[in-house]
Amino acid sequence: MEMNQYLEVFIEESKDHLQNCNTQMLELEKNPADLSIVNEIFRSAHTLKGMSATMGYEDLASLTHHMENILDDIRNGKLSVTTAVMDALFSAVDDLEEMIASIASGGDGKKDVSRSLKMLEEILTGEPAAAAQASHSSVQYDEFERTVILQSLEQGYNAFEMTVSLREDCLLKAARVFMVFEVLEKIGEVIKSSPTVDQLEEENFDQQFCVTIASKEDSDFLEKSVMKVSEVDTVKVNEVNLEQEPSPAAEEAAVTLEAVKEVPEETKERETQKNTVSNKTIRVNIDRLDVLMNLFEELVIDRGRLEQISKELNHGELNETVERMSRISGDLQSIILTMRMVPVETVFNRFPRMIRQLARDLNKQINLEISGQDTELDRTVIDEIGDPLVHLLRNAIDHGVESPELRREKGKPEEGTIQLRAYHSGNHVFIEIEDDGAGISKDKVLNKALSRGIVTQEQAKAMTDTQIFELIMASGFSTAETISDISGRGVGLDVVKTTIESLGGSITIHSEEGQGSVFSVQLPLTLSIISVMLVEVEAEKFAIPLSSIIETAIVKNDEILHAHNQRVIDFRGKVVPLVFLNEVFDVEKGNDEEVHSVIIVRKGEKMAGLVVDSFIGQQEVVLKSLGDYLGDVFAISGATILGDGQVALIVDCNALIQ
């Protein structure tokens, strides 16, 4: 069968499963007793193994198989979740990601994975024995089994847990298990086996299984008897200890495990539902969506023109037809736009894992709080924004958050917090990275900039705090005293700034020394078709994105107040500054008016009132770039062609709100 046609689907689905593994493993680290998480990771690893084997990537299949062995031991209670176990699993997932990346870039997916394999093998060979010795109650018993064991002990029997390991080259595992059980049933009564007898018969286990038996014989006799069975590698016998009550977490884990065992049909049903859902989606090349969007933009311009003609002619049937066409094209537009939008979660997902590793490398304690991951951005922006955010987060960890010792001296909690949040505002999406670390030293930045000749003494005196902070984004600028693998060479933030600006966005920095810093990235939605409120200022027409507008208002002259040399109004108990668009855009205006038309807009929690001459109405327009020559016009994000052929400038409300 020709597999190349499925390669793209394989790569995309593999990435999804590896991301799921990463996310779930971080959850497992926080909730080590939750076996439902283990099962979730196991399902992803198992699916990945199957897909890799089908596509002929045996190395991938082999590594995921080793991961499965570890996960299987965890869910069977033979292995506990420790840092070493998680490190081994994370290392394996890292290798798998690199192998998938190799395949995606046209490679063969080969990689030296000996380190990960060694870590996994060490866990399998070392940890289970230690765990078994440390606790005699590695097997969980229900009430009935506990009663049987207690009654056996009262009647003079001994109760043992026997861990039997078969040889690696054992071919008929089920047959050997049968022979072991046959031996044990002659010298005692088998109370429980882990995995269950059915799973053992179906060879649904690795090389090791555990049997609980009541017998009058001693442990040495039991061990020797089972060792006589061919292809049995090792036998470990421990007395059952019921005095140690299982912890609530263990009980919960046992319940989860039983639930998984008892309701396989339910699990199958859920998996079937998942498959059904996934079968209802298709993957479409982004280029095709771009072509579709460009064609639709032209259609919207023509629609605007038709609406204008219809209004001028005022013909009943024409009006009706145009109105119907507008409704249908409106529905079509929302569908096309939605198809291109992707939640920023797809980018944010990779960060918890990265933060965990960096925090460990730097011996820091960091809590990453993510919010607004459902915020959607255009796919092309999503593809580009990942690396700049990685740079900002790495800087926050390396330069921002202090070491636990230093934080303790400063009276801060040892664990630093980094907040990563995304939210919509107007025609933009804001992504902010805030840390509660050391902040940026203005003096240090300024001295460094002066010593490097980036600014002069005169310029330095006139600079605001924000302008000083932005100096750290100059090429080659770094105040780090030591250069680490993570940052310090001054090649990160200038690349971040360049990338963000190339996307039509901007980055601002707010910092307070000793308290922390906020890096705010403003990105355009790149929605080429937006809903706007058209307004007039003298003969000029402007378009204000509806997404920024809270409401419109009429304000009399005597309602305008003055505060801090600024004209403001009292809007529902809040002081809102007024921005006169004719002053911002240098539009000559005649006599002062007694009554003003005001549009209340917002950016996050901040608001402003834009003063215009009159409101024209709501309309959907195609956002056109002003081009390279006019790209930096203050408070203008683009232009649009109206139905009558006039050009209206689109106001960037976020730039007007301070």
Side-chain angles (χ1 to χ4, degrees):
M1 184 166 46
E2 179 56 55
M3 288 297 175
N4 281 339
Q5 58 181 315
Y6 304 115
L7 189 59
E8 196 173 336
V9 176
F10 165 72
I11 291 167
E12 290 301 319
E13 291 197 358
S14 297
K15 285 179 180 174
D16 290 346
H17 284 296
L18 287 173
Q19 181 56 52
N20 187 43
C21 283
N22 263 322
T23 307
Q24 296 299 329
M25 286 197 301
L26 287 167
E27 280 300 311
L28 181 63
E29 207 168 28
K30 293 175 190 168
N31 306 291
D34 191 343
L35 292 188
S36 64
I37 300 175
V38 180
N39 286 322
E40 183 69 26
I41 303 168
F42 190 92
R43 272 196 288 274
S44 281
H46 189 69
T47 308
L48 187 57
K49 184 177 83 170
M51 290 195 308
S52 306
T54 308
M55 294 294 291
Y57 297 110
E58 295 300 332
D59 290 354
L60 271 163
S62 171
L63 187 53
T64 42
H65 177 71
H66 281 79
M67 278 179 68
E68 275 185 7
N69 291 343
I70 296 278
L71 294 166
D72 200 38
D73 276 7
I74 294 174
R75 65 181 185 175
N76 287 328
K78 298 177 189 171
L79 194 62
S80 53
V81 177
T82 61
T83 306
V85 170
M86 295 311 300
D87 284 347
L89 290 173
F90 276 128
S91 174
V93 170
D94 282 346
D95 284 341
L96 290 170
E97 283 178 336
E98 287 184 30
M99 290 157 93
I100 292 294
S102 162
I103 295 168
S105 59
D108 57 4
K110 298 278 184 190
K111 184 180 186 304
D112 179 10
V113 295
S114 54
R115 180 175 170 273
S116 295
L117 285 176
K118 189 182 173 194
M119 289 171 78
L120 293 169
E121 287 293 338
E122 283 175 358
I123 298 290
L124 275 176
T125 54
E127 180 114 3
Q133 286 171 2
S135 170
H136 290 180
S137 297
S138 58
V139 179
Q140 302 295 327
Y141 300 105
D142 60 26
E143 201 55 40
F144 173 74
E145 290 160 351
R146 292 170 66 84
T147 307
V148 171
I149 293 169
L150 288 172
Q151 286 179 351
S152 301
L153 293 173
E154 285 170 6
Q155 293 170 13
Y157 285 81
N158 299 314
F160 297 106
E161 287 174 2
M162 302 181 65
T163 305
V164 183
S165 298
L166 300 178
R167 277 176 19 198
E168 286 288 334
D169 57 353
C170 177
L171 295 176
L172 298 170
K173 293 194 293 184
R176 297 304 167 201
V177 171
F178 175 77
M179 293 170 72
V180 169
F181 271 68
E182 198 174 40
V183 169
L184 291 176
E185 282 168 356
K186 286 179 182 171
I187 52 180
E189 186 179 346
V190 174
I191 299 170
K192 184 183 176 75
S193 72
S194 176
T196 62
V197 174
D198 288 343
Q199 286 174 317
L200 291 172
E201 285 178 351
E202 291 169 5
E203 298 193 353
N204 189 14
F205 68 106
D206 192 19
Q207 301 300 119
Q208 201 175 65
F209 60 96
C210 188
V211 182
T212 304
I213 183 173
S215 172
K216 290 203 170 180
E217 304 295 342
D218 59 23
S219 59
D220 287 344
F221 182 81
L222 289 172
E223 182 180 343
K224 286 173 185 171
S225 300
V226 175
M227 282 301 292
K228 286 178 183 173
V229 177
S230 178
E231 294 188 311
V232 169
D233 193 14
T234 60
V235 177
K236 290 188 174 62
V237 184
N238 294 307
E239 286 187 12
V240 175
N241 181 7
L242 291 180
E243 290 176 5
Q244 184 183 351
E245 290 293 329
S247 65
E251 284 182 341
E252 187 184 340
V255 169
T256 311
L257 184 59
E258 287 303 317
V260 170
K261 285 176 183 171
E262 285 171 7
V263 287
E265 289 303 322
E266 192 184 327
T267 309
K268 282 180 186 171
E269 194 179 322
R270 281 203 303 270
E271 286 178 352
T272 307
Q273 285 174 354
K274 267 187 178 178
N275 290 336
T276 309
V277 172
S278 63
N279 287 338
K280 286 182 179 175
T281 62
I282 58 167
R283 295 178 191 275
V284 180
N285 192 310
I286 191 78
D287 293 339
R288 293 188 184 180
L289 288 181
D290 286 340
V291 173
L292 183 62
M293 175 63 85
N294 289 337
L295 289 173
F296 189 76
E297 285 175 8
E298 298 303 318
L299 190 64
V300 169
I301 292 174
D302 288 340
R303 182 183 71 188
R305 181 69 183 143
L306 263 180
E307 285 171 345
Q308 186 75 24
I309 293 170
S310 164
K311 201 180 288 179
E312 289 169 7
L313 293 179
N314 196 24
H315 187 280
E317 286 187 19
L318 179 61
N319 287 345
E320 191 180 328
T321 308
V322 169
E323 192 178 323
R324 181 175 163 73
M325 196 192 84
S326 298
R327 276 204 307 272
I328 294 171
S329 62
D331 293 342
L332 183 60
Q333 174 185 323
S334 60
I335 291 170
I336 293 173
L337 294 180
T338 308
M339 283 196 299
R340 290 181 58 88
M341 300 300 277
V342 181
V344 289
E345 184 182 19
T346 54
V347 180
F348 285 7
N349 272 343
R350 69 168 106 156
F351 297 141
R353 173 71 203 287
M354 183 190 83
I355 299 287
R356 172 190 183 271
Q357 191 59 47
L358 286 177
R360 287 190 62 180
D361 291 346
L362 294 169
N363 292 322
K364 292 183 178 178
Q365 296 175 20
I366 292 170
N367 173 37
L368 176 66
E369 294 177 358
I370 295 179
S371 60
Q373 57 266 50
D374 296 335
T375 308
E376 290 188 327
L377 260 173
D378 190 279
R379 175 60 193 258
T380 48
V381 179
I382 288 281
D383 289 343
E384 298 292 329
I385 197 61
D387 287 343
L389 293 181
V390 167
H391 273 293
L392 293 175
L393 284 168
R394 289 166 76 95
N395 270 287
I397 298 168
D398 199 16
H399 301 311
V401 179
E402 312 95 329
S403 64
E405 299 78 25
L406 202 55
R407 290 180 66 86
R408 200 166 49 239
E409 286 175 16
K410 290 181 176 179
K412 294 181 178 179
E414 290 186 7
E415 185 181 65
T417 300
I418 294 179
Q419 295 182 42
L420 176 63
R421 53 179 171 261
Y423 60 87
H424 272 125
S425 180
N427 201 29
H428 292 84
V429 163
F430 286 81
I431 299 177
E432 292 182 344
I433 295 170
E434 179 173 2
D435 68 72
D436 65 348
I440 301 171
S441 167
K442 275 190 299 180
D443 295 338
K444 206 169 173 181
V445 170
L446 210 49
N447 291 336
K448 194 82 174 180
L450 287 167
S451 69
R452 295 200 167 209
I454 296 173
V455 292
T456 62
Q457 286 285 0
E458 288 71 26
Q459 287 173 325
K461 286 175 188 169
M463 289 178 89
T464 63
D465 288 356
T466 304
Q467 287 170 327
I468 294 170
F469 294 142
E470 286 177 359
L471 287 174
I472 65 172
M473 290 187 283
S475 179
F477 189 95
S478 176
T479 57
E481 287 163 8
T482 55
I483 294 172
S484 68
D485 292 338
I486 295 164
S487 56
R489 293 184 187 276
V491 293
L493 286 176
D494 63 320
V495 176
V496 169
K497 189 181 180 193
T498 308
T499 308
I500 290 170
E501 288 179 347
S502 71
L503 292 170
S506 63
I507 178 169
T508 52
I509 305 169
H510 299 280
S511 184
E512 195 169 338
E513 197 169 356
Q515 300 299 316
S517 308
V518 184
F519 286 75
S520 180
V521 177
Q522 178 182 336
L523 293 165
L525 283 173
T526 65
L527 290 181
S528 50
I529 301 170
I530 57 172
S531 295
V532 297
M533 163 79 85
L534 284 175
V535 298
E536 267 185 331
V537 179
E538 291 295 323
E540 302 287 339
K541 286 182 181 169
F542 292 93
I544 298 171
L546 275 189
S547 49
S548 293
I549 299 174
I550 300 175
E551 65 176 84
T552 57
I554 302 295
V555 176
K556 294 178 184 172
N557 255 345
D558 55 8
E559 291 175 332
I560 296 177
L561 311 170
H562 289 80
H564 302 289
N565 295 324
Q566 196 167 17
R567 286 164 288 184
V568 299
I569 55 170
D570 182 355
F571 177 71
R572 305 191 195 290
K574 286 187 177 176
V575 176
V576 175
L578 290 178
V579 178
F580 287 74
L581 286 195
N582 65 306
E583 295 174 5
V584 175
F585 298 124
D586 288 334
V587 180
E588 287 189 14
K589 200 165 167 59
N591 297 329
D592 285 343
E593 295 170 355
E594 289 296 318
V595 177
H596 301 278
S597 302
V598 178
I599 298 176
I600 309 294
V601 294
R602 70 177 170 199
K603 171 192 174 186
E605 297 297 317
K606 296 177 181 174
M607 293 195 293
L610 307 185
V611 182
V612 299
D613 287 354
S614 61
F615 310 129
I616 297 175
Q618 179 183 335
Q619 193 170 328
E620 286 184 336
V621 298
V622 178
L623 176 64
K624 296 285 186 188
S625 164
L626 292 177
D628 294 337
Y629 293 113
L630 297 173
D632 289 331
V633 178
F634 174 69
I636 294 294
S637 57
T640 186
I641 302 168
L642 302 176
D644 57 3
Q646 282 192 52
V647 173
L649 295 173
I650 297 170
V651 178
D652 178 7
C653 299
N654 293 312
L656 294 174
I657 302 174
Q658 298 299 322

